[in-house]
């Protein structure tokens, strides 16, 4: 039998890659992992983690605003120190990079700090040195997509937002997806004047239509200017900042422009072609149900395959691969009812089908929804409202869609996601007692379906 340097070699030290490498090593495989940048990938370095920290920072602005209604007198208007937040964040991310490194080391994974390139179906080259492996995993993630136009080099990607200097007084965010909405909310909360410019009539494509409209209303109330049905055609430097030209010859001036216009798989320079790994027309690696690429010894997981570009999905995919290669081969990942949250202010949390998708799939659906002012805001002085919605398949009574816009929606929907995966019916929701007084209890007290 041919000897390989490694049983398993992972390209990419992000969420999927690190999880796969650790698990495989814990199952006794000889594992190598190559990462050219810091360990942790997008999620740890320029994604989920720092974004959530900044979202917490923005949340303090709301808390200060609300405090007076609850009897607190703040001695003077609180001052926000952007430099301090950046330093604090950077220290925490460095700590996490270190933790990832020591987890791999403890598991016995050989970590190579360098750019890896496939040479053939069983060989990878890192900084001029070749290593052979029985199995290879590509987990290189994605990277921001920046549309080309005159002056587009003046725009920033989300990667650059975390260390932006100076803090922008006026920020223009282009795009209407997760990243655009989250950064618009964060910088609005931190004190910038934020305009979110999107080419469609509504933000958050793919989400439930009521959620999209409700969120837009709440973001507007919170101070984000929504500029919809519009596109940027050019950027240039003007005397007072960046001049952004829009369709219909309008112009907007801003101190910073974020292009949050989607992400693309990281497949450049990996030697995919040399090894015979096929990519689709969007540049994503094509995999079968077992995450095998067109080359049987090479697998791929996470954003580089662009199935569902979420960290927990990449982790779960990694574990399926490792279980198949070195474990019992029993693990599967079901892509239905994946919960997700958008960390806007207020949050969006969702699990299962939008009303439109549920109608298309199940036909006859019942809709329950509620919009209300949370108890907190009876004294806070803020006009923020919450929205909750259940989509029920009438044939089976199963709750097939659960949607929320409101504080802590991510935390709340995570719990309900378990019930939904277990196939909870509306009757089961109805027989569940609420926890009073909470916002979440509304999900178990929705009694009357919407007419129609
Ligand atoms: P999305 O695909 O969610 O959104 C991209 C946005 O950019 C869309 O609104 C799209 O509009 C718009 N767009 C694309 N191309 C252009 C263009 N040429 N000009 C103008 N607008 C354009 O991508 P994101 O980058 O926001 O996020 C990527 C993925 O990362 C998400 O789908 C999500 O899975 C994940 N993510 C998850 C987070 C979370 O879990 N909280 C947070 C951040 C990211 P249109 O709809 O018209 O195509």
């Amino acid at each position: 039998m041919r000897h390989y340097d490694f049983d398993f070699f992972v390209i990419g030290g992000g969420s999927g890659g690190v999880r796969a490498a650790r698990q495989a090593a814990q199952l006794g495989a000889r594992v190598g992992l190559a990462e050219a940048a810091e360990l942790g990938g997008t999620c740890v370095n320029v994604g989920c983690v720092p974004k959530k920290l900044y979202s917490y920072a923005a949340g303090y602005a709301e808390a200060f605003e609300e405090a007076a209604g609850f009897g607190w007198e703040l001695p003077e208007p609180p001052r926000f120190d952007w430099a301090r937040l950046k330093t604090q964040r950077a220290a925490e991310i460095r700590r996490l990079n270190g933790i990832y490194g020591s987890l791999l080391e403890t598991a016995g994974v050989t970590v190579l700090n360098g750019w890896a390139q496939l040479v053939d179906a069983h060989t990878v080259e890192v900084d001029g040195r070749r290593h052979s492996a029985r199995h290879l995993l590509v987990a290189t993630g994605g990277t921001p997509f920046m549309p080309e136009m005159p002056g587009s080099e003046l725009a920033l990607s989300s990667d650059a937002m975390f260390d932006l200097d100076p803090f922008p007084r006026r920020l223009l965010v282009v795009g209407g997806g997760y990243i655009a909405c989250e950064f618009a909310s964060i910088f609005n909360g931190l004190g910038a004047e934020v305009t979110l410019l999107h080419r469609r009539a509504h933000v958050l494509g793919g989400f439930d239509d009521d959620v999209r409209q409700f969120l837009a209303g709440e973001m507007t109330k919170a101070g984000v200017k929504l500029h919809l049905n519009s596109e940027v055609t050019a950027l240039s430097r003007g005397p007072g900042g960046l001049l952004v030209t829009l369709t219909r010859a309008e112009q907007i001036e801003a101190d910073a422009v974020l292009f949050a216009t989607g992400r693309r798989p990281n497949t450049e320079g990996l030697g995919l072609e040399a090894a015979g790994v096929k990519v689709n027309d969007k540049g994503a690696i094509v995999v079968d149900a077992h995450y095998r690429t067109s080359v049987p010894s090479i697998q791929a997981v996470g954003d580089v395959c662009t199935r569902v570009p979420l960290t927990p999905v990449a982790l779960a995919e990694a574990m399926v691969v490792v279980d198949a290669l070195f474990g019992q081969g029993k693990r599967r990942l079901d892509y239905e009812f994946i919960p997700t949250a958008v960390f806007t202010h207020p949050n969006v949390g969702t699990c299962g089908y939008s009303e439109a998708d549920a109608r298309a799939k199940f036909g006859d659906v019942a809709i329950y929804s509620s919009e209300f002012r949370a108890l907190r805001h009876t004294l806070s002085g803020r006009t923020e409202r919450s929205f909750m919605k259940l989509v029920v398949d009438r044939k089976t009574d199963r709750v097939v869609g659960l949607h929320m816009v409101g504080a802590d929606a991510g935390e709340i929907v995570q719990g309900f996601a378990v019930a939904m995966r277990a196939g909870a019916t509306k009757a089961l929701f109805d027989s569940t007692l609420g926890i009073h007084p909470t916002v979440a209890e509304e999900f178990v007290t929705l009694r009357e379906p919407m007419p129609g």
Side-chain angles (χ1 to χ4, degrees):
M1 206 159 77
R2 182 177 163 186
H3 170 80
Y4 294 102
D5 301 330
F6 293 102
D7 299 315
F8 190 47
F9 195 95
V10 179
I11 305 181
S15 304
V18 168
R19 175 63 62 89
R22 271 181 67 202
Q23 295 264 322
Q26 279 162 0
L27 289 171
R30 293 167 307 137
V31 183
L33 179 144
E35 170 58 62
E38 298 293 342
L39 289 171
T42 300
C43 177
V44 167
N45 293 289
V46 284
C48 327
V49 176
K51 176 276 308 286
K52 188 81 189 275
L53 292 174
Y54 283 11
S55 173
Y56 284 130
Y60 280 92
E62 294 166 8
F64 294 138
E65 203 185 310
E66 295 171 8
F70 290 94
W72 290 94
E73 260 175 53
L74 299 179
E76 55 196 57
R79 205 182 67 78
F80 171 61
D81 186 343
W82 173 231
R84 175 120 188 255
L85 174 63
K86 287 192 290 185
T87 307
Q88 291 274 93
R89 178 218 88 233
E92 173 56 13
I93 301 308
R94 258 196 315 280
R95 190 183 73 86
L96 293 176
N97 296 145
I99 288 177
Y100 270 63
S102 47
L103 284 174
L104 288 169
E105 198 183 317
T106 312
V109 175
T110 305
V111 178
L112 306 174
N113 300 112
W115 187 264
Q117 226 173 346
L118 292 166
V119 178
D120 61 38
H122 289 283
T123 314
V124 65
E125 187 174 304
V126 185
D127 291 339
R129 272 202 64 189
R130 292 190 173 191
H131 309 269
S132 62
R134 184 180 301 278
H135 303 284
L136 287 140
L137 178 73
V138 182
T140 47
T143 195
F145 159 70
M146 309 286 282
E148 295 272 331
M149 65 185 71
S152 56
E153 70 282 358
L154 298 170
L156 303 165
S157 76
S158 57
D159 291 357
M161 295 302 287
F162 296 101
D163 270 318
L164 198 56
D165 186 36
F167 185 83
R169 191 171 62 77
R170 300 159 303 172
L171 172 68
L172 176 71
V173 179
V174 181
Y178 278 76
I179 297 180
C181 291
E182 288 182 343
F183 274 100
S185 274
I186 288 168
F187 278 84
N188 177 58
L190 296 180
E193 273 174 38
V194 178
T195 302
L196 186 148
L197 184 136
H198 183 34
R199 62 187 180 184
R200 313 254 175 210
H202 300 286
V203 294
L204 287 187
F207 281 73
D208 185 88
D209 287 340
D210 288 337
V211 165
R212 301 170 73 186
Q213 289 190 25
F214 193 85
L215 176 70
E218 290 304 312
M219 284 177 72
T220 306
K221 269 186 351 203
V224 175
K225 289 194 200 99
L226 288 190
H227 203 98
L228 300 167
N229 296 312
S230 186
E231 277 188 75
V232 177
T233 55
L235 281 86
S236 60
R237 278 190 206 283
L242 296 175
L243 269 183
V244 185
T245 308
L246 313 179
T247 39
R248 299 190 294 274
E250 286 171 271
Q251 282 199 322
I252 291 185
E253 210 176 57
D255 302 308
V257 176
L258 164 63
F259 277 180
T261 41
R263 298 177 62 83
R264 294 289 179 269
N266 262 334
T267 50
E268 292 271 308
L270 292 179
L272 295 179
E273 229 171 274
V277 174
K278 289 211 173 67
V279 296
N280 66 17
D281 56 348
K282 298 202 170 65
I285 294 182
V286 180
V287 288
D288 66 11
H290 305 284
Y291 310 101
R292 279 187 300 242
T293 69
S294 47
V295 180
S297 57
I298 304 179
Q299 320 225 2
V301 295
D303 289 9
V304 77
C305 311
T306 327
R307 260 184 174 168
V308 181
L310 296 172
T311 290
V313 172
L315 296 174
E317 291 176 346
M319 292 195 289
V320 174
V321 166
V322 171
D323 181 53
L325 296 179
F326 306 108
Q328 308 202 324
K330 289 194 180 139
R331 216 178 240 279
R332 297 282 176 274
L333 172 60
D334 178 0
Y335 289 84
E336 218 184 10
F337 299 107
I338 294 173
T340 183
V342 188
F343 295 103
T344 39
H345 292 237
N347 284 187
V348 173
T350 186
C351 184
Y353 294 80
S354 67
E355 179 178 340
D357 288 349
R359 282 193 197 287
K361 186 173 167 83
F362 302 100
D364 193 10
V365 294
I367 305 298
Y368 298 79
S369 74
S370 168
E371 188 210 309
F372 56 95
R373 180 169 68 160
L375 177 61
R376 179 187 185 101
H377 297 307
T378 55
L379 296 193
S380 76
R382 288 182 52 226
T383 58
E384 184 178 299
R385 295 179 74 78
S386 301
F387 175 74
M388 283 154 136
K389 177 169 176 176
L390 293 179
V391 183
V392 178
D393 173 13
R394 277 199 208 264
K395 253 196 310 291
T396 59
D397 196 41
R398 183 174 183 182
V399 178
V400 294
L402 181 142
H403 309 278
M404 171 172 177
V405 184
D408 298 321
E411 306 287 348
I412 291 168
V413 170
Q414 177 68 83
F416 279 104
V418 179
M420 292 184 65
R421 284 197 50 79
T425 57
K426 180 65 169 65
L428 194 64
F429 271 61
D430 292 344
S431 68
T432 303
L433 296 188
I435 299 173
H436 190 70
T438 61
V439 169
E441 69 178 317
E442 195 72 11
F443 274 132
V444 294
T445 54
L446 290 167
R447 292 285 177 261
E448 289 302 318
M450 305 292 286

